[in-house]
Amino acid sequence: MNNLIVDAANDKILLKIIIDKQSYTSEYSNSRENFDNLSLIIFDFLKKKNTKIEHIANIFVNHGPGKYSGTRLSIVICKAICLAYDIKLYSYGSEQINGNNYGKILDLHKKGDLISG
């Protein structure tokens, strides 16, 4: 099962894809220009990792607290992608990933501790 994590609540926009037991991460500046192109950045990230959006089963997006614009825009973009490609959307809070431990998100998902969107 392939999973995509999107976190734009902090100083950087983080994209992480987890494919089986491997993970790939990219960070981008948390800027207005990148917010305007977030969907393109996501698709470009997937392309560079040789993954198609159709192969993503779940998208996990940070709902904050954090930077207001980044958080709200990332939620909207992820929700649109999930609706268009029939992908499950989940949100998590910044406090759930202590020390940026994004691997914990999959554990929270398995326990049912994430908000389905």
Side-chain angles (χ1 to χ4, degrees), residues 2-112:
N2 299 339
N3 299 287
L4 176 65
I5 298 170
V6 178
D7 186 350
N10 300 305
D11 294 330
K12 300 270 186 182
I13 298 171
L14 177 126
L15 300 178
K16 182 178 194 92
I17 187 166
I18 301 171
I19 303 170
D20 298 320
K21 300 214 183 255
Q22 296 182 353
S23 66
Y24 306 96
T25 305
S26 286
E27 291 184 345
Y28 306 86
S29 66
N30 199 333
S31 67
R32 180 69 185 168
E33 181 181 339
N34 284 340
F35 292 149
D36 291 344
N37 296 309
L38 186 58
S39 59
L40 297 174
I41 289 171
I42 291 170
F43 284 101
D44 186 53
F45 170 70
L46 293 174
K47 184 177 179 181
K48 287 180 182 175
K49 302 306 176 195
N50 296 319
T51 302
K52 294 182 179 183
I53 193 70
E54 294 86 357
H55 298 143
I56 300 295
N58 304 299
I59 295 180
F60 302 95
V61 63
N62 189 339
H63 65 249
K67 295 190 179 248
Y68 183 79
S69 296
T71 302
R72 299 300 168 242
L73 186 63
S74 62
I75 291 169
V76 170
I77 296 287
C78 290
K79 188 159 188 120
I81 291 171
C82 288
L83 287 171
Y85 291 94
D86 196 29
I87 300 171
K88 293 180 181 171
L89 177 66
Y90 298 92
S91 68
Y92 62 92
S94 296
E95 71 281 352
Q96 291 177 293
I97 52 165
N98 300 334
N100 292 332
N101 181 8
Y102 292 96
K104 186 176 178 185
I105 292 172
L106 295 182
D107 293 335
L108 293 169
H109 174 59
K110 287 177 188 174
K111 289 184 200 176

